Amino acid sequence: MEELIWCWVIVAALSVVGETVTQRLYLIWALPASLASALFALCSLEWYWQVVVFCLVLLLGLFGGRRLVDHIINRNKINDINDLIGVNCVVSERIDSLAGCGLVEAKGGVWAARGVGEEDEFEVGERLSVVAIEGVRLICKKK
């Protein structure tokens, strides 16, 4: 049984090496699967049960874990600039609508911005709300 434990440890090590090389979040799920199987090997469970545990944990990671990680990674990702309408933002560079300059931070990115009115001015740190978009410039007003 001890040789089976080493087989699972080798599979775990190979999954880490493979994931390091590919960085696609597929091979990493073999790590918890092989460690679970090694644990079952320590308990002197038959080899076929170890394989069943490996497959179940691997599938759970591939379908459930990958989806969860994708959701966490892409939480603040913007797929469409129109998704910014209604979002709260913070002025990171003074906004002078007449001069056409200024920046805001919204959804993890920095965007060019101006106020709704031509004479609107906002200072750094003010909290605004995005009401429209013109090109790549956010049109903002005070919250």
Side-chain angles (χ1 to χ4, degrees):
M1 283 295 173
E2 188 174 306
E3 58 275 353
L4 284 177
I5 295 171
W6 284 110
C7 288
W8 293 120
V9 170
I10 290 169
V11 170
L14 289 174
S15 72
V16 170
V17 169
E19 184 61 41
T20 303
V21 171
T22 62
Q23 297 180 354
R24 300 291 298 161
L25 291 177
Y26 288 111
L27 297 176
I28 196 66
W29 303 111
L31 175 64
S34 58
L35 293 178
S37 295
L39 184 66
F40 276 84
L42 276 173
C43 296
S44 300
L45 219 60
E46 293 295 329
W47 67 270
Y48 50 86
W49 286 114
Q50 296 171 33
V51 172
V52 168
V53 166
F54 179 82
C55 292
L56 288 175
V57 174
L58 182 65
L59 289 173
L60 182 67
L62 282 173
F63 293 108
R66 175 138 172 98
R67 186 172 294 170
L68 177 66
V69 170
D70 281 343
H71 176 71
I72 291 169
I73 289 173
N74 296 323
R75 186 178 341 178
N76 287 330
K77 190 174 183 180
I78 304 219
N79 295 324
D80 181 9
I81 193 166
N82 290 321
D83 291 344
L84 289 170
I85 295 175
V87 169
N88 296 325
C89 57
V90 178
V91 178
S92 57
E93 180 182 292
R94 185 176 181 278
I95 296 175
D96 184 347
S97 297
L98 193 57
C101 62
L103 299 173
V104 294
E105 292 180 24
K107 292 281 248 178
V110 178
W111 302 86
R114 71 172 182 83
V116 175
E118 283 189 25
E119 297 186 19
D120 285 349
E121 293 181 358
F122 303 107
E123 298 301 322
V124 174
E126 284 190 66
R127 297 191 181 283
L128 308 175
S129 180
V130 179
V131 294
I133 298 171
E134 288 181 1
V136 292
R137 189 175 304 270
L138 305 182
I139 310 303
C140 303
K141 70 173 186 176
K142 278 203 173 186
K143 276 177 72 172

PDB file of all heavy atoms in Angstrom, residues 89-111:
ATOM      1  N   CYS A  89     -18.317  56.058  -8.409  1.00  0.00           N
ATOM      2  CA  CYS A  89     -16.896  56.228  -8.701  1.00  0.00           C
ATOM      3  C   CYS A  89     -16.320  57.304  -7.794  1.00  0.00           C
ATOM      4  O   CYS A  89     -17.052  58.030  -7.131  1.00  0.00           O
ATOM      5  CB  CYS A  89     -16.684  56.571 -10.174  1.00  0.00           C
ATOM      6  SG  CYS A  89     -17.569  58.032 -10.724  1.00  0.00           S
ATOM      7  N   VAL A  90     -14.979  57.377  -7.787  1.00  0.00           N
ATOM      8  CA  VAL A  90     -14.268  58.350  -6.962  1.00  0.00           C
ATOM      9  C   VAL A  90     -13.332  59.138  -7.869  1.00  0.00           C
ATOM     10  O   VAL A  90     -12.627  58.563  -8.700  1.00  0.00           O
ATOM     11  CB  VAL A  90     -13.461  57.635  -5.854  1.00  0.00           C
ATOM     12  CG1 VAL A  90     -12.683  58.641  -5.025  1.00  0.00           C
ATOM     13  CG2 VAL A  90     -14.378  56.812  -4.970  1.00  0.00           C
ATOM     14  N   VAL A  91     -13.325  60.456  -7.698  1.00  0.00           N
ATOM     15  CA  VAL A  91     -12.466  61.312  -8.508  1.00  0.00           C
ATOM     16  C   VAL A  91     -11.007  61.079  -8.107  1.00  0.00           C
ATOM     17  O   VAL A  91     -10.650  61.197  -6.938  1.00  0.00           O
ATOM     18  CB  VAL A  91     -12.835  62.804  -8.313  1.00  0.00           C
ATOM     19  CG1 VAL A  91     -11.914  63.698  -9.123  1.00  0.00           C
ATOM     20  CG2 VAL A  91     -14.288  63.047  -8.690  1.00  0.00           C
ATOM     21  N   SER A  92     -10.172  60.717  -9.094  1.00  0.00           N
ATOM     22  CA  SER A  92      -8.752  60.494  -8.811  1.00  0.00           C
ATOM     23  C   SER A  92      -7.876  61.627  -9.367  1.00  0.00           C
ATOM     24  O   SER A  92      -6.734  61.781  -8.961  1.00  0.00           O
ATOM     25  CB  SER A  92      -8.288  59.151  -9.379  1.00  0.00           C
ATOM     26  OG  SER A  92      -8.528  59.087 -10.763  1.00  0.00           O
ATOM     27  N   GLU A  93      -8.412  62.390 -10.301  1.00  0.00           N
ATOM     28  CA  GLU A  93      -7.746  63.598 -10.799  1.00  0.00           C
ATOM     29  C   GLU A  93      -8.842  64.643 -10.996  1.00  0.00           C
ATOM     30  O   GLU A  93      -9.883  64.342 -11.585  1.00  0.00           O
ATOM     31  CB  GLU A  93      -7.045  63.306 -12.128  1.00  0.00           C
ATOM     32  CG  GLU A  93      -6.333  64.501 -12.712  1.00  0.00           C
ATOM     33  CD  GLU A  93      -5.702  64.173 -14.062  1.00  0.00           C
ATOM     34  OE1 GLU A  93      -4.745  63.380 -14.069  1.00  0.00           O
ATOM     35  OE2 GLU A  93      -6.186  64.709 -15.090  1.00  0.00           O
ATOM     36  N   ARG A  94      -8.612  65.850 -10.526  1.00  0.00           N
ATOM     37  CA  ARG A  94      -9.623  66.908 -10.547  1.00  0.00           C
ATOM     38  C   ARG A  94     -10.344  66.960 -11.894  1.00  0.00           C
ATOM     39  O   ARG A  94      -9.723  66.941 -12.955  1.00  0.00           O
ATOM     40  CB  ARG A  94      -8.966  68.256 -10.267  1.00  0.00           C
ATOM     41  CG  ARG A  94      -9.936  69.388 -10.145  1.00  0.00           C
ATOM     42  CD  ARG A  94      -9.202  70.688  -9.766  1.00  0.00           C
ATOM     43  NE  ARG A  94     -10.129  71.758  -9.630  1.00  0.00           N
ATOM     44  CZ  ARG A  94     -10.614  72.474 -10.659  1.00  0.00           C
ATOM     45  NH1 ARG A  94     -10.243  72.212 -11.882  1.00  0.00           N
ATOM     46  NH2 ARG A  94     -11.471  73.449 -10.445  1.00  0.00           N
ATOM     47  N   ILE A  95     -11.681  67.031 -11.829  1.00  0.00           N
ATOM     48  CA  ILE A  95     -12.499  67.103 -13.037  1.00  0.00           C
ATOM     49  C   ILE A  95     -12.892  68.548 -13.289  1.00  0.00           C
ATOM     50  O   ILE A  95     -13.471  69.203 -12.425  1.00  0.00           O
ATOM     51  CB  ILE A  95     -13.765  66.236 -12.907  1.00  0.00           C
ATOM     52  CG1 ILE A  95     -13.394  64.761 -12.783  1.00  0.00           C
ATOM     53  CG2 ILE A  95     -14.701  66.455 -14.091  1.00  0.00           C
ATOM     54  CD1 ILE A  95     -14.569  63.842 -12.529  1.00  0.00           C
ATOM     55  N   ASP A  96     -12.564  69.022 -14.479  1.00  0.00           N
ATOM     56  CA  ASP A  96     -12.970  70.346 -14.935  1.00  0.00           C
ATOM     57  C   ASP A  96     -13.663  70.121 -16.268  1.00  0.00           C
ATOM     58  O   ASP A  96     -13.023  69.900 -17.290  1.00  0.00           O
ATOM     59  CB  ASP A  96     -11.751  71.255 -15.092  1.00  0.00           C
ATOM     60  CG  ASP A  96     -12.145  72.676 -15.478  1.00  0.00           C
ATOM     61  OD1 ASP A  96     -13.313  72.896 -15.867  1.00  0.00           O
ATOM     62  OD2 ASP A  96     -11.273  73.558 -15.385  1.00  0.00           O
ATOM     63  N   SER A  97     -14.985  70.150 -16.263  1.00  0.00           N
ATOM     64  CA  SER A  97     -15.754  69.840 -17.470  1.00  0.00           C
ATOM     65  C   SER A  97     -15.489  70.823 -18.600  1.00  0.00           C
ATOM     66  O   SER A  97     -15.470  70.445 -19.771  1.00  0.00           O
ATOM     67  CB  SER A  97     -17.246  69.806 -17.152  1.00  0.00           C
ATOM     68  OG  SER A  97     -17.523  68.777 -16.226  1.00  0.00           O
ATOM     69  N   LEU A  98     -15.277  72.084 -18.268  1.00  0.00           N
ATOM     70  CA  LEU A  98     -15.032  73.096 -19.289  1.00  0.00           C
ATOM     71  C   LEU A  98     -13.698  72.829 -20.008  1.00  0.00           C
ATOM     72  O   LEU A  98     -13.624  72.905 -21.227  1.00  0.00           O
ATOM     73  CB  LEU A  98     -15.028  74.493 -18.659  1.00  0.00           C
ATOM     74  CG  LEU A  98     -15.104  75.664 -19.627  1.00  0.00           C
ATOM     75  CD1 LEU A  98     -16.354  75.559 -20.504  1.00  0.00           C
ATOM     76  CD2 LEU A  98     -15.098  76.981 -18.877  1.00  0.00           C
ATOM     77  N   ALA A  99     -12.680  72.462 -19.233  1.00  0.00           N
ATOM     78  CA  ALA A  99     -11.366  72.162 -19.819  1.00  0.00           C
ATOM     79  C   ALA A  99     -11.331  70.753 -20.411  1.00  0.00           C
ATOM     80  O   ALA A  99     -10.443  70.432 -21.197  1.00  0.00           O
ATOM     81  CB  ALA A  99     -10.284  72.306 -18.762  1.00  0.00           C
ATOM     82  N   GLY A 100     -12.284  69.920 -20.021  1.00  0.00           N
ATOM     83  CA  GLY A 100     -12.346  68.553 -20.564  1.00  0.00           C
ATOM     84  C   GLY A 100     -11.307  67.618 -19.982  1.00  0.00           C
ATOM     85  O   GLY A 100     -10.858  66.699 -20.660  1.00  0.00           O
ATOM     86  N   CYS A 101     -10.935  67.840 -18.728  1.00  0.00           N
ATOM     87  CA  CYS A 101      -9.935  66.955 -18.113  1.00  0.00           C
ATOM     88  C   CYS A 101     -10.467  66.409 -16.797  1.00  0.00           C
ATOM     89  O   CYS A 101     -11.357  66.979 -16.184  1.00  0.00           O
ATOM     90  CB  CYS A 101      -8.624  67.694 -17.900  1.00  0.00           C
ATOM     91  SG  CYS A 101      -8.759  69.089 -16.781  1.00  0.00           S
ATOM     92  N   GLY A 102      -9.920  65.281 -16.399  1.00  0.00           N
ATOM     93  CA  GLY A 102     -10.284  64.671 -15.131  1.00  0.00           C
ATOM     94  C   GLY A 102     -10.395  63.162 -15.255  1.00  0.00           C
ATOM     95  O   GLY A 102     -10.670  62.625 -16.339  1.00  0.00           O
ATOM     96  N   LEU A 103     -10.137  62.482 -14.131  1.00  0.00           N
ATOM     97  CA  LEU A 103     -10.196  61.026 -14.101  1.00  0.00           C
ATOM     98  C   LEU A 103     -10.986  60.549 -12.896  1.00  0.00           C
ATOM     99  O   LEU A 103     -10.985  61.195 -11.846  1.00  0.00           O
ATOM    100  CB  LEU A 103      -8.783  60.438 -14.028  1.00  0.00           C
ATOM    101  CG  LEU A 103      -7.827  60.742 -15.171  1.00  0.00           C
ATOM    102  CD1 LEU A 103      -6.439  60.218 -14.845  1.00  0.00           C
ATOM    103  CD2 LEU A 103      -8.328  60.131 -16.468  1.00  0.00           C
ATOM    104  N   VAL A 104     -11.644  59.406 -13.060  1.00  0.00           N
ATOM    105  CA  VAL A 104     -12.327  58.759 -11.948  1.00  0.00           C
ATOM    106  C   VAL A 104     -11.918  57.295 -11.912  1.00  0.00           C
ATOM    107  O   VAL A 104     -11.516  56.723 -12.927  1.00  0.00           O
ATOM    108  CB  VAL A 104     -13.872  58.861 -12.049  1.00  0.00           C
ATOM    109  CG1 VAL A 104     -14.340  60.281 -11.924  1.00  0.00           C
ATOM    110  CG2 VAL A 104     -14.382  58.219 -13.316  1.00  0.00           C
ATOM    111  N   GLU A 105     -12.042  56.695 -10.729  1.00  0.00           N
ATOM    112  CA  GLU A 105     -11.825  55.264 -10.559  1.00  0.00           C
ATOM    113  C   GLU A 105     -13.183  54.604 -10.396  1.00  0.00           C
ATOM    114  O   GLU A 105     -13.970  54.996  -9.545  1.00  0.00           O
ATOM    115  CB  GLU A 105     -10.965  54.983  -9.337  1.00  0.00           C
ATOM    116  CG  GLU A 105      -9.542  55.450  -9.488  1.00  0.00           C
ATOM    117  CD  GLU A 105      -8.699  55.169  -8.251  1.00  0.00           C
ATOM    118  OE1 GLU A 105      -9.047  54.246  -7.487  1.00  0.00           O
ATOM    119  OE2 GLU A 105      -7.722  55.884  -8.059  1.00  0.00           O
ATOM    120  N   ALA A 106     -13.449  53.609 -11.257  1.00  0.00           N
ATOM    121  CA  ALA A 106     -14.718  52.888 -11.198  1.00  0.00           C
ATOM    122  C   ALA A 106     -14.491  51.441 -11.607  1.00  0.00           C
ATOM    123  O   ALA A 106     -13.829  51.175 -12.607  1.00  0.00           O
ATOM    124  CB  ALA A 106     -15.741  53.538 -12.126  1.00  0.00           C
ATOM    125  N   LYS A 107     -15.017  50.511 -10.815  1.00  0.00           N
ATOM    126  CA  LYS A 107     -14.935  49.074 -11.113  1.00  0.00           C
ATOM    127  C   LYS A 107     -13.514  48.616 -11.381  1.00  0.00           C
ATOM    128  O   LYS A 107     -13.243  47.847 -12.296  1.00  0.00           O
ATOM    129  CB  LYS A 107     -15.815  48.715 -12.299  1.00  0.00           C
ATOM    130  CG  LYS A 107     -17.283  48.824 -12.066  1.00  0.00           C
ATOM    131  CD  LYS A 107     -17.801  47.646 -11.308  1.00  0.00           C
ATOM    132  CE  LYS A 107     -18.694  46.798 -12.168  1.00  0.00           C
ATOM    133  NZ  LYS A 107     -19.185  45.643 -11.511  1.00  0.00           N
ATOM    134  N   GLY A 108     -12.563  49.110 -10.610  1.00  0.00           N
ATOM    135  CA  GLY A 108     -11.187  48.665 -10.732  1.00  0.00           C
ATOM    136  C   GLY A 108     -10.394  49.293 -11.858  1.00  0.00           C
ATOM    137  O   GLY A 108      -9.257  48.928 -12.097  1.00  0.00           O
ATOM    138  N   GLY A 109     -10.968  50.258 -12.579  1.00  0.00           N
ATOM    139  CA  GLY A 109     -10.261  50.919 -13.670  1.00  0.00           C
ATOM    140  C   GLY A 109     -10.277  52.421 -13.515  1.00  0.00           C
ATOM    141  O   GLY A 109     -11.051  52.975 -12.736  1.00  0.00           O
ATOM    142  N   VAL A 110      -9.402  53.083 -14.244  1.00  0.00           N
ATOM    143  CA  VAL A 110      -9.348  54.548 -14.242  1.00  0.00           C
ATOM    144  C   VAL A 110      -9.898  55.021 -15.577  1.00  0.00           C
ATOM    145  O   VAL A 110      -9.486  54.538 -16.639  1.00  0.00           O
ATOM    146  CB  VAL A 110      -7.901  55.049 -14.033  1.00  0.00           C
ATOM    147  CG1 VAL A 110      -7.853  56.565 -14.083  1.00  0.00           C
ATOM    148  CG2 VAL A 110      -7.353  54.540 -12.721  1.00  0.00           C
ATOM    149  N   TRP A 111     -10.848  55.962 -15.526  1.00  0.00           N
ATOM    150  CA  TRP A 111     -11.563  56.412 -16.715  1.00  0.00           C
ATOM    151  C   TRP A 111     -11.533  57.933 -16.826  1.00  0.00           C
ATOM    152  O   TRP A 111     -11.583  58.626 -15.813  1.00  0.00           O
ATOM    153  CB  TRP A 111     -13.030  55.968 -16.639  1.00  0.00           C
ATOM    154  CG  TRP A 111     -13.183  54.494 -16.514  1.00  0.00           C
ATOM    155  CD1 TRP A 111     -13.155  53.759 -15.369  1.00  0.00           C
ATOM    156  CD2 TRP A 111     -13.368  53.563 -17.574  1.00  0.00           C
ATOM    157  NE1 TRP A 111     -13.320  52.442 -15.653  1.00  0.00           N
ATOM    158  CE2 TRP A 111     -13.456  52.283 -17.009  1.00  0.00           C
ATOM    159  CE3 TRP A 111     -13.481  53.686 -18.963  1.00  0.00           C
ATOM    160  CZ2 TRP A 111     -13.643  51.141 -17.763  1.00  0.00           C
ATOM    161  CZ3 TRP A 111     -13.664  52.543 -19.714  1.00  0.00           C
ATOM    162  CH2 TRP A 111     -13.748  51.299 -19.120  1.00  0.00           C
TER     163      TRP A 111
END
